[in-house]
């Protein structure tokens, strides 16, 4: 429950501090005094968005802080999961600076807005006038049924399967689309692959062929130069080797009397051996070089094939062509595997469909089980609220689609008048009827809700007198289970509160300021009397106010 609320620099508020008790508290005040401003400020710490327009003083920050007693509401796990320090008395603070930037804190731990809203939804239900219109919405009607059906676990299981079903079906559709697209390209992919497969390319083939082609293309020149080199080295008459041999002989003869010639002789001998090896290699190479027109033609054709494939596929190496062939082969394998993958996912989709149908049927049954109780409760409560001929019926329809919470669609049918058939509630309910209807719904939901606090922001619009008194009694019944705060213009309801606050404008300063105070005793009698008779408070109004407060 809310223990206290502190507001600084928000709209028309300079600074306010309010303490709340359990049970029913009522907030009253003239139209325009700023009662809705309190709701707006509270909404900030419950996760609503804000901007700089809320700043009363544009040069100061807006700070809203709420203290909540959450001991009885099993929120320890929420705090643990989100790594927030838990305390039975939890403080939520929201700060908006001059630039419109917002910061939020739970027990002094910084949190983001979605997390703040998630906690806020677990703490307070704010029901304003426009929320009365929710009852006309099919989704809200379904929410009402589910709030009473104790089927949240079934719906969670359904939602998990539905998510998996949608993902599986999406993947299946993608597989089918890809399969159809791939099959239209199959012939072309197969042709490309077979062309590369037939080419039988090897990694270093291009470089080797290009080198061999150069050699064969210049075979005559190579042979001539090698032969000439061989003759110069090893021709019997006046060859380099024979001359070196003769030089070696001359130097050897000098060794006995000219020792330095020994080293020269050895060097000549070493050179001779090396040149002899070179001569033999040249001779071997000369013998191996052979002009072969057929081989040249083969290499030329092979290189032309390689170049054309590289140009066709916009690559520059054989390795890239080999990689491309591997990729094409993978595509072909994938195309051939599409059918088995499609069959696999069709089975998964069917399995999920069967699970969804079963869960949806179970969910639907829980709803059907609670509908008679709901119909009876609404009719009884509306009769207590001055609608003796009220009729209410819930129609439940099965959809052919898997919806977010099952396959059911709900329709609330209502009639307030004797012998008038029930019709769709959105077509016939007046403002006062809508207020009473919504209060009966809330009174029922509260019984199965774990929310600590509910705030009624002028839910009593369109009613007065005895009916308002009965609505106040119903709020008191709700307040037996949870904290109720009612913002009201109705004196019969205002008087029901264990505690009453009055909101008013202070016009003494240059700029109007909204203030709030707790009232009791004679001050409360006068406030109730003013609500009964207007600015001119009569003795009769005061007596009536005392009677209302006494009741």
């Amino acid at each position: 429950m809310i223990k206290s609320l502190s507001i600084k620099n928000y709209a028309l508020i300079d600074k306010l501090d309010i303490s709340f008790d359990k049970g029913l508290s009522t907030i009253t005040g003239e139209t325009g005094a700023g009662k809705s401003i309190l709701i707006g400020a509270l909404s900030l710490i419950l996760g609503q968005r804000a901007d700089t327009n809320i700043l009363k003083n544009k040069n100061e920050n807006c700070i809203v802080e709420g203290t909540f007693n959450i001991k009885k509401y099993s929120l320890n796990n929420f705090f643990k999961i989100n790594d927030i320090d838990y305390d039975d008395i939890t403080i939520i603070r929201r700060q908006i600076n001059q630039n419109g930037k917002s910061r939020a804190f739970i027990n002094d731990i910084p949190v983001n807005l979605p997390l703040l809203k998630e906690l806020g939804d677990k703490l307070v239900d704010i029901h304003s006038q426009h929320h009365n219109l929710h009852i006309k919405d099919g989704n809200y009607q379904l929410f009402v049924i589910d709030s009473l059906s104790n089927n949240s676990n079934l719906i969670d299981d359904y939602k998990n399967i539905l998510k998996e079903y949608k993902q599986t079906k999406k993947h299946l559709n993608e597989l089918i689309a890809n399969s159809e697209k791939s099959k239209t390209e199959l012939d072309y992919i197969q042709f490309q692959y077979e062309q590369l497969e037939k080419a039988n390319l090897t990694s270093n083939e291009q470089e080797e062929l290009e080198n061999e082609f150069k050699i064969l293309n210049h075979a005559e020149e190579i042979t001539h130069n090698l032969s000439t080199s061989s003759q110069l080295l090893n021709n019997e008459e006046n060859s380099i080797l024979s001359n070196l041999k003769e030089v070696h002989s001359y130097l050897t003869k000098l060794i006995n009397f000219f020792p330095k010639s020994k080293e020269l002789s050895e060097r000549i001998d070493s050179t001779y051996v090396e040149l002899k090896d070179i001569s033999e290699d040249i001779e071997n190479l000369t013998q191996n070089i052979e002009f072969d027109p057929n081989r040249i033609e083969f290499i030329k054709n092979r290189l032309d094939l390689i170049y054309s494939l590289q140009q066709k596929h916009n690559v520059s190496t054989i390795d890239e062509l080999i990689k491309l062939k591997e990729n094409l082969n993978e595509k072909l394998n994938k195309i051939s595997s599409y059918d088995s993958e499609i069959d696999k996912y069709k089975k998964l989709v069917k399995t999920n469909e069967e699970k969804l149908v079963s869960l949806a049927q179970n969910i639907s049954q829980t709803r059907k089980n609670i509908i008679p109780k709901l119909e009876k409760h609404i009719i009884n409560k509306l009769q207590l609220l001055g609608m003796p001929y009220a009729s209410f019926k819930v129609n439940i329809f099965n959809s052919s689609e898997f919806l977010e919470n099952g396959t059911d669609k709900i329709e609330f049918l209502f009639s307030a008048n004797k012998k008038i058939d029930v019709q769709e509630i959105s077509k016939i309910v007046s403002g006062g009827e809508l207020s009473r209807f919504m209060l009966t719904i809330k009174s029922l939901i509260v019984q199965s809700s774990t929310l600590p606090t509910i705030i009624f922001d002028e839910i009593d619009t369109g009613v007065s007198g005895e009916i308002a008194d009965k609505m106040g009694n119903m709020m008191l019944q709700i307040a037996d289970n949870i904290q109720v705060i009612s913002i009201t213009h109705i004196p019969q309801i205002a008087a029901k509160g264990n505690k009453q606050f009055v909101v008013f404008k202070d016009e003494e300063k240059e700029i109007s300021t909204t203030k709030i105070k707790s009232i009791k005793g004679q001050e409360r009698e006068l406030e109730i009397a003013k609500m009964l008779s207007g600015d001119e408070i009569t003795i009769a109004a005061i007596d009536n106010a005392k009677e209302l407060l006494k009741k």
Side-chain angles (χ1 to χ4, degrees):
M1 56 173 276
I2 304 173
K3 287 180 63 67
S4 64
L5 182 65
S6 174
I7 306 168
K8 180 183 177 183
N9 196 36
Y10 179 86
L12 295 178
I13 298 172
D14 283 330
K15 191 174 190 315
L16 283 182
D17 292 292
I18 319 167
S19 295
F20 295 98
D21 296 330
K22 62 181 180 179
L24 173 63
S25 297
T26 57
I27 300 175
T28 61
E30 295 181 359
T31 301
K35 297 187 294 298
S36 60
I37 293 175
L38 294 176
I39 298 298
L42 178 61
S43 296
L44 285 181
I45 58 173
L46 299 179
Q48 297 302 314
R49 297 195 173 276
D51 55 45
T52 53
N53 292 330
I54 66 169
L55 300 180
K56 187 173 191 292
N57 185 338
K58 301 299 182 183
N59 297 317
E60 294 183 8
N61 294 339
C62 166
I63 300 175
V64 181
E65 183 174 286
T67 304
F68 297 82
N69 185 338
I70 61 173
K71 184 177 181 179
K72 299 178 181 178
Y73 300 100
S74 305
L75 292 172
N76 305 61
N77 197 46
F78 173 86
F79 281 73
K80 183 178 180 180
I81 290 173
N82 293 290
D83 199 22
I84 305 170
D85 295 335
Y86 174 83
D87 198 317
D88 289 342
I89 305 301
T90 283
I91 298 173
I92 302 177
R93 187 172 73 257
R94 184 85 177 274
Q95 178 177 313
I96 295 91
N97 66 19
Q98 300 94 311
N99 297 321
K101 292 185 178 179
S102 167
R103 298 184 69 195
F105 303 86
I106 300 174
N107 291 334
D108 288 327
I109 303 296
V111 296
N112 58 33
L113 209 56
L115 182 60
L116 186 66
K117 187 175 188 308
E118 186 178 352
L119 178 59
D121 289 341
K122 298 177 185 297
L123 297 179
V124 180
D125 175 13
I126 297 178
H127 183 91
S128 60
Q129 291 181 58
H130 73 272
H131 287 153
N132 285 344
L133 300 176
H134 286 178
I135 200 62
K136 300 180 179 183
D137 180 74
N139 290 327
Y140 184 79
Q141 293 172 8
L142 193 63
F143 164 76
V144 171
I145 300 293
D146 287 334
S147 297
L148 307 172
S149 299
N150 195 27
N151 59 8
S152 58
N153 290 336
L154 280 173
I155 290 177
D156 287 343
D157 290 343
Y158 174 89
K159 285 182 175 179
N160 290 332
I161 299 296
L162 181 62
K163 182 180 179 182
E164 184 180 337
Y165 167 76
K166 287 181 176 179
Q167 291 173 344
T168 305
K169 195 168 185 180
K170 180 182 177 184
H171 188 66
L172 172 62
N173 291 334
E174 289 173 352
L175 281 173
I176 293 172
N178 290 337
S179 174
E180 291 174 352
K181 180 181 178 183
S182 297
K183 285 177 180 177
T184 60
E185 300 173 348
L186 178 61
D187 291 342
Y188 181 60
I189 295 173
Q190 186 74 40
F191 170 74
Q192 288 183 308
Y193 172 77
E194 289 177 354
Q195 190 179 41
L196 290 170
E197 177 70 11
K198 186 178 179 181
N200 195 26
L201 304 170
T202 57
S203 184
N204 298 318
E205 180 181 8
Q206 182 176 355
E207 183 181 358
E208 292 172 356
L209 288 174
E210 287 173 342
N211 290 335
E212 186 180 358
F213 186 75
K214 289 177 184 177
I215 291 171
L216 291 175
N217 214 30
H218 297 81
E220 186 177 348
E221 183 180 354
I222 292 169
T223 303
H224 170 75
N225 289 343
L226 288 175
S227 297
T228 302
S229 299
S230 179
Q231 288 177 6
L232 290 172
L233 283 170
N234 205 23
N235 190 11
E236 290 183 2
E237 296 181 5
N238 203 29
S239 69
I240 293 174
L241 287 175
S242 62
N243 288 333
L244 279 174
K245 195 171 184 181
E246 189 173 350
V247 170
H248 180 267
S249 176
Y250 282 121
L251 290 173
T252 302
K253 292 177 181 180
L254 299 175
I255 291 174
N256 291 333
F257 48 86
F258 187 58
K260 289 183 178 182
S261 67
K262 182 179 179 181
E263 180 185 353
L264 295 172
S265 173
E266 290 173 350
R267 289 170 64 187
I268 289 295
D269 186 49
S270 176
T271 302
Y272 176 83
V273 172
E274 177 67 18
L275 286 176
K276 187 167 178 60
D277 285 345
I278 292 172
S279 175
E280 290 174 356
D281 288 343
I282 290 174
E283 184 66 27
N284 290 333
L285 287 172
T286 303
Q287 292 175 3
N288 291 332
I289 299 299
E290 180 181 357
F291 179 73
D292 185 349
N294 293 330
R295 179 63 180 170
I296 289 176
E297 184 65 20
F298 169 80
I299 294 174
K300 183 176 181 302
N301 291 337
R302 184 68 176 166
L303 287 173
D304 285 345
L305 172 63
I306 292 170
Y307 295 150
S308 67
L309 289 172
Q310 288 172 344
Q311 185 177 13
K312 176 180 178 179
H313 298 289
N314 196 27
V315 298
S316 56
T317 66
I318 281 185
D319 286 341
E320 289 175 296
L321 288 173
I322 293 172
K323 181 65 177 175
L324 175 63
K325 185 186 79 170
E326 292 171 355
N327 291 340
L328 290 170
N329 189 41
E330 287 179 9
K331 284 185 179 181
L332 290 172
N333 290 333
K334 194 170 183 179
I335 292 171
S336 64
S337 69
Y338 270 131
D339 289 342
S340 61
E341 277 290 290
I342 287 171
D343 287 341
K344 172 186 171 183
Y345 275 88
K346 279 182 177 179
K347 290 177 182 177
L348 287 174
V349 168
K350 185 178 179 182
T351 300
N352 285 332
E353 282 180 348
E354 291 171 351
K355 290 179 180 178
L356 287 172
V357 168
S358 176
L359 284 167
Q361 288 173 346
N362 291 337
I363 292 168
S364 184
Q365 190 58 52
T366 64
R367 291 166 177 163
K368 290 173 182 176
N369 291 342
I370 203 65
I371 285 173
K373 178 183 175 181
L374 173 64
E375 291 173 339
K376 183 177 179 181
H377 174 91
I378 295 296
I379 291 171
N380 289 341
K381 291 294 184 182
L382 289 176
Q383 287 174 349
L384 290 175
L385 293 176
M387 300 172 70
Y389 303 111
S391 298
F392 174 66
K393 182 175 177 57
V394 179
N395 279 346
I396 183 167
F397 307 96
N398 186 262
S399 170
S400 59
E401 301 176 13
F402 293 120
L403 307 175
E404 287 303 309
N405 295 299
T407 55
D408 292 330
K409 291 185 177 181
I410 296 293
E411 183 182 58
F412 282 5
L413 303 176
F414 177 77
S415 172
N417 302 303
K418 190 176 182 180
K419 294 185 178 180
I420 299 296
D421 291 337
V422 291
Q423 298 181 49
E424 197 176 326
I425 198 168
S426 61
K427 297 177 180 177
I428 59 170
V429 177
S430 66
E433 291 169 344
L434 202 58
S435 295
R436 283 177 277 177
F437 194 96
M438 205 57 197
L439 184 58
T440 64
I441 290 290
K442 287 290 183 179
S443 70
L444 189 57
I445 291 176
V446 161
Q447 296 176 17
S448 59
S449 170
T450 58
L451 275 174
T453 302
I454 185 167
I455 298 176
F456 292 120
D457 184 8
E458 299 184 0
I459 193 176
D460 44 35
T461 299
V463 299
S464 59
E466 184 182 357
I467 302 304
D469 186 67
K470 291 178 178 179
M471 287 185 73
N473 288 333
M474 192 172 291
M475 290 183 192
L476 277 175
Q477 291 176 2
I478 296 172
D480 286 338
N481 298 309
I482 67 172
Q483 182 187 48
V484 178
I485 300 171
S486 177
I487 298 174
T488 181
H489 286 290
I490 309 297
Q492 288 86 351
I493 292 176
K496 300 286 184 185
N498 307 107
K499 194 171 185 179
Q500 182 176 345
F501 299 90
V502 62
V503 178
F504 60 97
K505 276 186 182 178
D506 184 350
E507 305 285 7
E508 293 181 2
K509 299 180 181 180
E510 292 183 7
I511 300 176
S512 299
T513 300
T514 291
K515 293 188 175 183
I516 188 171
K517 64 179 179 179
S518 175
I519 57 174
K520 56 186 177 180
Q522 187 177 12
E523 190 175 14
R524 188 174 185 188
E525 291 174 2
L526 290 172
E527 175 65 18
I528 298 295
K530 184 179 178 180
M531 295 175 71
L532 286 164
S533 64
D535 290 335
E536 294 185 10
I537 302 175
T538 65
I539 294 175
I542 293 176
D543 290 339
N544 196 0
K546 289 179 179 180
E547 185 63 27
L548 287 175
L549 289 167
K550 183 179 179 181
K551 287 172 63 177

